[in-house]
C-alpha cells in the first residue's frame, strides 16, 4: 500500500491519509487526549486488515487492549500485538493477544527484539500493513539520557520507514523544555499538536506538504 | 581500534578447506586470522579484532557459546554467524550482528564485513548528529523565525545536519532487516552502559 487512511480522525481541512513510511508525533499538555488520538490513528485501518503493533511504556498491555476495543468493538485480536514494558500485571492479556514483555522502558534492546518478533509474526500471517505505536516517548526520557532516546528514535523511525509502516508516537510537551521538544520533533515527518483553549480543544498539523498549518477546532 | 593497518577479521571455522577459502578471498583487504575451534578463537580474540566470522556448528564449543563469551568479556567487535541452516529468530535474540548462509559467496562475505565495519562507526556518528540537532534546537528556542532565516550560522548548521544524517543512514543500511535493526539498537545501548 502507498498510503494509510486516517479519514475522519482529524478535523476537516487537515489530513485524511498518510504516506507509507510516515512517522507522526503527537504532542500537547497532559490530559489533552494524546493517547486517545494515538489509538484512533492506530485503529482506524483495522477493519481493512491492517495490523497494530504498539509499545506501551507505562500502561499495561491489558489496559491498552481495552482502549483499542473502545475504538474498534469488533477487534480481531490476531492483528493486535503489544510490547509491554510497564511491569504491569498482564498474564491474562498474554493469553489473549501477542505480547512481548520487557523488564523496563530503559531496555531499548529488549523493546527492539520484542517489536521485531511481533512484526515477524504479522508477516507470517500475511499482515503487511502495520501501524506502529509508541506511547510514550516521555517515559523513555525519564529512564534514559535524551541523546540515547534520540538515537533510538532515529533507528526506530528508520525501521518503520524501511518496512513501509506508519508510526504514531506521543510526547507530553509540558514535561520537557522547548529545546528537548524541538530535538525530538526533528526526527518526525509530521507533528500533530493538541491544545486546550477557552473555546475548546484545538489541533494543528505540521510538516506534511499541503497540510494547513493553522489551528482547527477539534472536539 | 582501526588506527593502524587494515581491519582485523577473525575467521572461526573448523573445516580447514573452508577457512582457507575465506583467507584467500579476504587477505588482500583485511588482516585475516584463523581459529579452528572455539577455544582457539577465545585465545586469538583481543581488542584489535573488528569482525568475527563465526561458524555456528562446531564440535565442543558452539558458535553461540563463543558469542556469549565475546559479549561477556565486553569485546567491542561485531560478530556474523555463518550457518548451514536457515536461521530462526533466535539468532536475533542471541545477539549476532549479522548472519550468512553457508557457503557464502565471495561478494556476500565482503558486503557483510563492510556493513559490520560501518556499524562500528554508527554510535559515534549518531552522537555527532544528535549534538548538531541539539544545537539547532537551542537556536530555535532562542531566536525568531526571521532571525533564523537571516542567520548564516543557522544555515551552515542545517547543512551539517543533513550531511550527518546522510552518513548515519548509510551506516544504518536497510532497517527492514531484523538483525540490522536490533544490532543498531544494541550499539547505542552498549554506549549507555559504559556511560553509567
Amino acid at each position: 500500500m502507498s498510503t494509510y487512511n486516517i479519514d475522519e480522525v482529524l478535523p476537516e481541512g487537515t489530513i485524511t491519509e498518510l504516506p507509507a513510511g510516515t512517522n507522526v508525533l503527537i504532542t500537547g499538555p497532559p490530559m489533552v487526549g494524546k493517547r486517545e488520538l494515538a489509538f484512533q490513528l492506530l485503529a482506524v485501518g483495522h477493519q481493512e486488515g491492517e495490523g497494530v503493533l504498539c509499545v506501551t511504556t507505562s500502561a499495561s498491555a491489558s489496559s491498552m487492549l481495552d482502549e483499542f476495543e473502545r475504538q474498534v468493538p469488533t477487534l480481531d485480536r490476531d492483528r493486535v500485538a503489544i510490547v509491554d514494558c510497564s511491569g504491569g500485571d498482564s498474564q491474562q492479556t498474554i493469553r489473549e493477544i501477542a505480547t512481548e514483555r520487557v523488564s523496563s522502558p530503559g531496555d531499548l534492546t529488549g523493546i527492539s527484539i520484542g517489536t521485531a518478533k511481533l512484526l515477524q509474526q504479522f508477516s507470517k500471517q500475511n499482515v503487511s500493513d502495520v501501524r506502529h505505536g509508541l506511547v510514550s516517548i516521555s517515559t523513555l526520557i525519564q529512564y534514559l539520557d535524551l541523546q540515547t532516546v534520540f538515537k533510538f528514535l532515529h533507528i526506530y523511525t528508520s525501521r518503520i520507514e524501511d518496512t513501509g509502516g506508519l508510526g504514531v508516537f506521543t510526547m507530553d510537551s509540558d514535561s520537557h523544555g522547548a529545546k528537548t521538544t524541538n530535538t525530538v520533533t526533528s526526527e518526525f515527518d509530521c507533528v500533530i499538536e493538541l491544545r486546550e483553549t477557552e473555546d475548546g480543544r484545538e489541533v494543528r498539523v505540521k510538516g506534511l506538504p499541503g497540510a494547513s498549518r493553522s489551528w482547527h477546532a477539534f472536539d | 581500534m582501526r588506527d593502524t593497518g587494515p581491519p582485523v577479521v577473525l575467521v572461526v571455522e573448523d573445516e580447514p578447506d573452508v577457512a582457507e577459502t575465506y583467507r584467500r578471498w579476504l587477505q588482500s583487504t583485511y588482516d585475516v586470522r584463523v581459529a579452528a575451534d572455539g577455544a582457539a578463537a577465545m585465545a586469538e580474540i583481543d581488542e584489535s579484532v573488528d569482525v568475527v566470522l563465526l561458524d555456528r556448528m562446531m564440535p565442543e564449543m558452539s558458535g553461540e557459546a563463543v558469542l556469549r563469551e565475546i559479549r561477556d568479556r565486553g569485546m567491542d567487535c561485531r560478530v556474523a554467524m555463518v550457518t548451514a541452516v536457515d536461521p530462526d529468530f533466535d539468532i536475533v535474540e542471541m545477539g549476532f550482528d549479522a548472519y550468512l548462509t553457508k557457503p557464502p559467496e565471495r561478494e556476500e562475505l565482503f558486503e557483510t564485513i563492510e556493513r559490520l565495519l560501518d556499524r562500528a562507526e554508527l554510535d559515534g556518528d549518531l552522537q555527532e548528529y544528535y549534538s548538531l540537532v541539539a544545537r539547532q534546537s537551542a537556536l530555535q528556542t532562542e531566536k525568531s523565525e526571521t532571525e533564523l532565516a537571516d542567520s548564516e550560522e543557522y544555515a551552515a548548521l542545517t547543512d551539517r545536519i543533513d550531511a550527518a544524517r546522510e552518513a548515519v543512514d548509510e551506516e544504518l543500511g536497510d532497517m527492514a532487516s531484523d538483525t540490522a535493526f536490533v544490532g543498531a539498537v544494541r550499539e547505542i545501548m552498549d554506549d549507555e552502559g559504559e556511560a553509567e
Side-chain angles (χ1 to χ4, degrees):
Chain A
M1 93 146 60
S2 57
T3 59
Y4 286 86
N5 173 30
I6 56 161
D7 211 11
E8 294 182 1
V9 176
L10 292 167
E12 215 172 300
T14 54
I15 41 172
T16 57
E17 59 179 31
L18 290 161
T22 303
N23 286 285
V24 178
L25 177 66
I26 303 171
T27 66
M31 309 303 291
V32 76
K34 297 183 293 295
R35 274 176 75 86
E36 195 192 359
L37 176 58
F39 289 130
Q40 286 170 348
L41 290 172
L42 292 169
V44 68
H46 192 77
Q47 315 280 20
E48 277 86 65
E50 292 177 12
V52 174
L53 200 175
C54 199
V55 179
T56 169
T57 58
S58 48
S60 69
S62 48
S63 75
M64 185 159 268
L65 185 61
D66 287 347
E67 291 185 72
F68 276 119
E69 298 211 298
R70 221 168 295 149
Q71 302 298 334
V72 189
T74 54
L75 198 70
D76 175 357
R77 295 183 167 198
D78 288 343
R79 283 187 283 112
V80 179
I82 295 177
V83 176
D84 182 356
C85 22
S86 68
D89 181 21
S90 55
Q91 293 304 324
Q92 181 66 30
T93 318
I94 288 169
R95 279 195 294 274
E96 290 171 7
I97 55 165
T99 306
E100 288 291 326
R101 303 189 75 173
V102 177
S103 60
S104 147
D107 179 9
L108 300 180
T109 308
I111 291 175
S112 66
I113 291 173
T115 61
K117 262 189 182 172
L118 294 171
L119 192 62
Q120 205 167 64
Q121 280 181 26
F122 277 150
S123 134
K124 281 182 188 151
Q125 293 168 238
N126 289 318
V127 176
S128 56
D129 301 327
V130 179
R131 301 191 187 209
H132 302 255
L134 193 152
V135 181
S136 77
I137 294 172
S138 299
T139 319
L140 299 184
I141 297 174
Q142 284 164 21
Y143 279 80
L144 297 157
D145 294 347
L146 178 60
Q147 60 184 55
T148 305
V149 175
F150 177 88
K151 291 174 189 175
F152 173 70
L153 289 174
H154 187 78
I155 295 169
Y156 197 45
T157 54
S158 299
R159 163 81 167 174
I160 291 167
E161 188 182 339
D162 287 356
T163 54
L166 174 69
V168 179
F169 298 66
T170 62
M171 182 169 73
D172 181 350
S173 52
D174 285 3
S175 308
H176 321 287
K179 188 181 159 214
T180 299
T181 306
N182 284 346
T183 301
V184 170
T185 300
S186 75
E187 280 301 303
F188 290 85
D189 308 300
C190 168
V191 180
I192 300 175
E193 282 178 81
L194 296 175
R195 74 174 180 191
E196 210 59 73
T197 70
E198 283 173 6
D199 301 329
R201 190 166 72 150
E202 293 183 334
V203 63
R204 85 171 156 181
V205 179
K206 289 201 292 192
L208 287 179
S212 137
R213 287 181 58 171
S214 56
W215 290 98
H216 290 72
F218 184 34
D219 297 315
Chain B
M1 196 169 58
R2 295 175 63 187
D3 296 343
T4 52
V8 177
V9 176
L10 173 61
V11 174
V12 187
E13 171 59 65
D14 61 320
E15 293 172 60
D17 293 355
V18 178
E20 196 42 43
T21 305
Y22 294 168
R23 183 205 287 280
R24 228 179 31 246
W25 285 347
L26 300 174
Q27 65 188 4
S28 60
T29 314
Y30 309 109
D31 176 355
V32 184
R33 300 179 195 170
V34 176
D37 57 36
M42 291 321 300
E44 191 68 46
I45 196 161
D46 57 29
E47 288 300 336
S48 67
V49 174
D50 297 291
V51 172
V52 181
L53 297 176
L54 189 54
D55 187 32
R56 185 179 203 172
M57 301 293 275
M58 291 183 297
E60 293 172 40
M61 199 174 179
S62 70
E64 278 117 284
V66 175
L67 174 72
R68 238 185 340 262
E69 178 80 24
I70 291 172
R71 296 289 186 236
D72 286 351
R73 285 204 207 165
M75 295 284 183
D76 184 26
C77 62
R78 276 96 209 140
V79 185
M81 182 180 67
V82 188
T83 171
V85 287
D86 255 350
D88 256 331
F89 195 81
D90 55 359
I91 67 138
V92 175
E93 286 189 287
M94 276 182 246
F96 284 100
D97 298 297
Y99 71 85
L100 283 155
T101 317
K102 215 172 178 178
E105 305 270 342
R106 189 172 185 276
E107 274 311 298
E108 230 186 321
L109 201 57
F110 273 100
E111 276 170 24
T112 302
I113 292 169
E114 285 303 310
R115 211 168 59 231
L116 293 182
L117 291 171
D118 273 352
R119 203 179 300 159
E121 314 287 322
L122 178 65
D123 189 59
D125 284 351
L126 267 171
Q127 185 65 40
E128 164 79 6
Y129 171 50
Y130 164 76
S131 305
L132 295 168
V133 171
R135 200 188 308 165
Q136 183 187 46
S137 303
L139 288 174
Q140 284 167 350
T141 53
E142 289 158 11
K143 295 184 193 302
S144 71
E145 282 194 26
T146 332
E147 284 174 313
L148 291 178
D150 292 340
S151 161
E152 277 178 34
E153 185 201 353
Y154 189 76
L157 187 56
T158 306
D159 288 347
R160 283 182 70 193
I161 288 172
D162 289 344
R165 189 192 301 114
E166 217 166 283
V168 163
D169 287 344
E170 178 126 2
E171 284 154 13
L172 276 180
D174 182 8
M175 282 289 101
S177 150
D178 292 334
T179 42
F181 164 56
V182 175
V185 174
R186 197 177 282 119
E187 294 287 340
I188 64 167
M189 291 308 283
D190 285 352
D191 187 60
E192 172 85 9
E194 281 163 25
E196 278 167 4

